[in-house]
Amino acid sequence: MTKPKVHIFTDFDGTITQVDLGDDLFKQFGAFEPYHEQLLAGELGIAEYWQILARSLPPEVTPDFIRQYAESQHTDAYFRDFYLYCQEEGFELSVVSDGFDLYIKPVLEKLNVENIKIFCNNLIYDGEKYAPHFPRASESCNCLAASCKRNVILSTAEPDAIIVYIGDGYSDFCPAEYADIVFAKKKLAAYCFSNRIPHHSFHTFFEVKQIMRKLVRENRLKPRHQAFLKRKSAFETE
């Protein structure tokens, strides 16, 4: 029996990390409210929201400061084990985040996960202030992410790959619609339940690994019809 190609995409903030590092960074050292409430109310666009928050960081919050902050944060204790499992199985594993490289990369380096692709926004520092850059911004999608995660999936996964998505928050709503297998917690789990998207609830990557093993053993890594149709439609309209 031919083993299916599997491409796993995982969110970062609140999924690999125990807290949302992006939100927490601005809550502690910059501005967060009332801008977050305005974002959720539709009064601010997502790109404008990140621009305001980036400008709110004071001079003492240098890139080195952000690196040290990131390295001090707690992560899912089972993520590295899950990463090694994916390597053993030959599954492609990518991190897709609407957060920023300055804190994502130090965390992954600390976890010693190599050969993992990272798709995220950039936080550019000119020596005095920060400016966000969104390399995968899209006008074709109105999801709550400055760089649409759906577009990462559509542009990087092989057409015949089984797409697995793992996430927890608002920016994960859109990509979950296009995934064959979804692992969800918190806001994403509630969204999947409300929108009848089949999903596996989880708390840690230990559960994700156990469920993936079971799906492999039972030959249940298969395309989800609605996700396949949505991917096909997205390709046709791009």
Side-chain angles (χ1 to χ4, degrees):
M1 184 180 297
T2 304
K3 194 174 181 178
K5 295 177 184 175
V6 177
H7 197 145
I8 302 174
F9 296 88
T10 178
D11 171 53
F12 179 81
D13 283 297
T15 302
I16 293 175
T17 57
Q18 292 185 8
V19 300
D20 189 312
L21 265 63
D23 287 355
D24 195 58
L25 176 69
F26 294 106
K27 284 177 182 176
Q28 287 197 50
F29 308 111
F32 187 70
E33 296 295 3
Y35 308 111
H36 189 252
E37 285 187 6
Q38 292 171 355
L39 172 70
L40 298 182
E43 298 168 8
L44 275 180
I46 184 68
E48 183 184 7
Y49 166 77
W50 281 128
Q51 287 162 1
I52 292 171
L53 266 58
R55 289 197 298 266
S56 77
L57 292 173
E60 60 268 23
V61 180
T62 62
D64 282 342
F65 181 98
I66 293 176
R67 170 177 283 275
Q68 291 174 21
Y69 157 80
E71 290 174 345
S72 71
Q73 302 303 306
H74 295 292
T75 57
D76 186 310
Y78 300 97
F79 178 70
R80 177 167 166 75
D81 186 51
F82 178 72
Y83 157 81
L84 293 173
Y85 164 73
C86 290
Q87 290 212 313
E88 291 169 6
E89 289 287 348
F91 297 158
E92 181 94 17
L93 177 62
S94 300
V95 172
V96 56
S97 172
D98 201 41
F100 296 99
D101 54 349
L102 282 186
Y103 65 79
I104 293 173
K105 290 182 178 178
V107 170
L108 295 177
E109 287 169 7
K110 184 180 177 181
L111 288 171
N112 193 25
V113 290
E114 302 172 353
N115 304 320
I116 188 168
K117 292 180 181 177
I118 306 169
F119 301 93
C120 65
N121 301 320
N122 308 121
L123 199 55
I124 300 169
Y125 186 64
D126 68 2
E128 294 182 359
K129 59 185 182 299
Y130 290 97
H133 173 58
F134 312 110
R136 293 168 187 84
S138 173
E139 294 182 1
S140 65
C141 188
N142 296 316
C143 68
L144 201 63
S147 289
C148 180
K149 297 181 180 182
R150 178 205 71 172
N151 288 357
V152 172
I153 290 175
L154 295 178
S155 63
T156 59
E158 295 186 44
D160 58 344
I162 303 300
I163 294 172
V164 179
Y165 193 82
I166 308 167
D168 78 312
Y170 293 111
S171 67
D172 303 311
F173 293 178
C174 179
E177 299 267 6
Y178 295 80
D180 299 303
I181 297 167
V182 178
F183 290 90
K185 61 180 178 178
K186 301 177 183 175
K187 294 181 179 69
L188 179 59
Y191 178 83
C192 288
F193 182 79
S194 297
N195 290 273
R196 298 182 179 180
I197 299 172
H199 65 284
H200 301 277
S201 296
F202 78 103
H203 294 288
T204 71
F205 277 91
F206 177 82
E207 293 152 292
V208 178
K209 176 183 171 182
Q210 294 302 102
I211 294 169
M212 284 295 296
R213 274 183 163 169
K214 189 172 188 290
L215 294 176
V216 170
R217 186 170 63 249
E218 297 176 357
N219 192 30
R220 290 167 55 202
L221 292 177
K222 299 181 183 298
R224 181 168 68 90
H225 184 62
Q226 288 301 318
F228 172 79
L229 292 179
K230 287 184 77 71
R231 294 198 296 267
K232 184 173 183 291
S233 175
F235 279 121
E236 290 171 349
T237 55
E238 282 292 319

